[in-house]
Amino acid sequence: MSNAPQVPDHDGPELHVALIGYGKGGEVFHAPVIEAVPGLRLSAVVTGNPERARTVRERHPGATVYPTVADLWADVGRYEIAVVTTPNDTHAPLARAALEAGVSVVVDKPFALTAAQARELTDLADKLGRVLTVYQNRRWDADFLTLWNLVEEGALGRVHRFESRFERWRPLPKGTWRESGAVENGAGLLYDLGPHLIDQAVNLFGPVASVYAEVDSLREGVQADDDVFLSLRHARGTRSQLWMSALAAQGGPRFRVLGDAAAFTSYGMDGQEARLLAGESPAAADWGVLPESAWGLLGADGATRRVPSVRGAYTEFYAGVRDAVGEGEPLPVDPHEVIHGLEVIEAARRSARTGTVVALPGR
């Protein structure tokens, strides 16, 4: 497997990025990835937290720190791109404000709290001629890229069942807004992990025709959902079963994919998140490379083989943003695809309330 850098040198203009929010999302998942992409410069960060502001100045000394988003808008002419990575219920209002201020916008997941909000933002971006995209970074997980290739090559035959899990063991709540906040404000696992799992399923197997959901809050003191199961029937016939939980003392396979020619099974999470949490740079020569012990298994029982993993590549998302904004290239993530994911989340909430299978209109 090659150790060449993932993102080639860039000869186009340098684009200046303003990062709105410096919690875990901004600090871990956005700032280091932006800085690893040639042609992008992390030029500003908005945070009203004094400790986080000090961290920004230490780690990104060239970035201007704004205490409020109003201060950024007053100086917005210095920037071409704004990245919104703030609590979920602020995503849509801040994205709208950024578009109206005259910059292109990256919104962290969930894109918005409702599909209607997301459609309004997409229409506004089209009207203003601005780039608008969503940070669905899990499309560039190593295991997902590997599975994508296997499905495209027909190595599994016709896939009839797709199982996917994001499971954790966190019996003691941390008390964050994602756990203690209201679901109506975007708290809970369905809004946190659901956009990733649903997006991957839709990318592999197409639009969803119906949804059945079980959504629970199991841990004491947690108001938002912390254990979720979704069963999706895709319009083309494949069934996806998606699990997300904070109370899984033993995790199942990350992927278990059943086709009429073979199956694919993999365990463990993509390694990019752990390396970002450890403070490593995505510019590392071996970024995204998984050891052979983490490769998935392809075949049937008694005749399986390990499949070399494709390199994980979160930087490719931001390279796509750079090219879309600077050169008019296609978006790395089309908002219309993400809108369908929000339709699935809304159907899941209705299913959980009623205990019924919910059909999506027009699918």
Side-chain angles (χ1 to χ4, degrees), residues 84-136:
V84 177
T85 175
T86 50
N88 293 347
D89 58 347
T90 66
H91 286 186
L94 285 173
R96 171 177 288 277
L99 290 168
E100 292 174 341
V103 292
S104 295
V105 182
V106 174
V107 187
D108 207 340
K109 56 78 193 169
F111 183 17
L113 296 186
T114 67
Q117 286 180 334
R119 290 190 198 96
E120 291 174 1
L121 287 175
T122 303
D123 290 345
L124 178 62
D126 291 342
K127 177 183 176 181
L128 297 176
R130 307 291 180 202
V131 167
L132 173 66
T133 189
V134 185
Y135 191 55
Q136 293 288 165

Side-chain angles (χ1 to χ4, degrees), residues 246-332:
L247 205 61
Q250 295 185 21
R254 172 68 185 92
F255 290 130
R256 181 172 178 261
V257 192
L258 306 179
D260 60 9
F264 176 76
T265 307
S266 66
Y267 285 83
M269 295 295 294
D270 174 89
Q272 293 176 91
E273 177 176 353
R275 294 184 70 173
L276 288 169
L277 286 167
E280 295 186 49
S281 169
D286 65 343
W287 187 263
V289 176
L290 289 182
E292 185 172 350
S293 60
W295 295 355
L297 288 175
L298 173 68
D301 284 344
T304 60
R305 63 179 178 87
R306 290 202 176 273
V307 178
S309 180
V310 176
R311 291 182 66 158
Y314 290 170
T315 48
E316 288 193 8
F317 170 83
Y318 269 112
V321 172
R322 175 199 65 200
D323 295 344
V325 175
E327 302 173 23
E329 295 293 327
L331 295 170

Side-chain angles (χ1 to χ4, degrees), residues 194-223:
H196 289 314
L197 296 178
I198 294 166
D199 185 73
Q200 289 182 336
V202 170
N203 268 265
L204 285 170
F205 305 112
V208 173
S210 64
V211 180
Y212 169 74
E214 299 170 2
V215 179
D216 294 299
S217 300
L218 300 178
R219 295 173 297 169
E220 185 176 352
V222 171
Q223 297 186 36

Side-chain angles (χ1 to χ4, degrees), residues 15-28:
L15 300 175
H16 301 85
V17 180
L19 181 62
I20 303 173
Y22 201 72
K24 178 181 177 181
E27 180 181 2
V28 175

Side-chain angles (χ1 to χ4, degrees), residues 132-280:
L132 173 66
T133 189
V134 185
Y135 191 55
Q136 293 288 165
N137 61 307
R138 295 292 181 176
R139 294 189 187 185
W140 288 271
D141 277 357
D143 50 10
F144 179 72
L145 292 172
T146 304
L147 174 58
W148 173 275
N149 286 349
L150 293 173
V151 171
E152 288 292 295
E153 294 165 1
L156 303 174
R158 184 181 64 82
V159 174
H160 54 272
R161 190 169 304 277
F162 170 60
E163 300 175 9
S164 176
R165 293 170 172 82
F166 274 179
E167 295 176 324
R168 300 163 175 166
W169 176 235
R170 294 178 180 171
L172 298 178
K174 294 184 177 181
T176 65
W177 65 265
R178 294 183 188 278
E179 296 177 326
S180 60
V183 171
E184 291 73 20
N185 294 329
L189 288 188
L190 185 57
Y191 274 116
D192 183 26
L193 301 180
H196 289 314
L197 296 178
I198 294 166
D199 185 73
Q200 289 182 336
V202 170
N203 268 265
L204 285 170
F205 305 112
V208 173
S210 64
V211 180
Y212 169 74
E214 299 170 2
V215 179
D216 294 299
S217 300
L218 300 178
R219 295 173 297 169
E220 185 176 352
V222 171
Q223 297 186 36
D225 48 273
D226 58 8
D227 190 82
V228 178
F229 168 74
L230 303 182
S231 179
L232 315 180
R233 181 176 63 82
H234 296 266
R236 297 202 300 251
T238 303
R239 294 188 182 274
S240 290
Q241 295 178 307
L242 314 177
W243 289 263
M244 55 207 86
S245 180
L247 205 61
Q250 295 185 21
R254 172 68 185 92
F255 290 130
R256 181 172 178 261
V257 192
L258 306 179
D260 60 9
F264 176 76
T265 307
S266 66
Y267 285 83
M269 295 295 294
D270 174 89
Q272 293 176 91
E273 177 176 353
R275 294 184 70 173
L276 288 169
L277 286 167
E280 295 186 49

Side-chain angles (χ1 to χ4, degrees), residues 112-119 183 190-191 194-195 198 211-213 215 230 232 338-354 356 358-361:
L113 296 186
T114 67
Q117 286 180 334
R119 290 190 198 96
V183 171
L190 185 57
Y191 274 116
I198 294 166
V211 180
Y212 169 74
V215 179
L230 303 182
L232 315 180
V338 184
I339 289 171
H340 180 51
L342 289 169
E343 292 173 340
V344 172
I345 288 176
E346 290 174 340
R349 293 184 65 189
R350 291 197 299 273
S351 173
R353 285 196 302 269
T354 62
T356 61
V358 174
L360 272 70

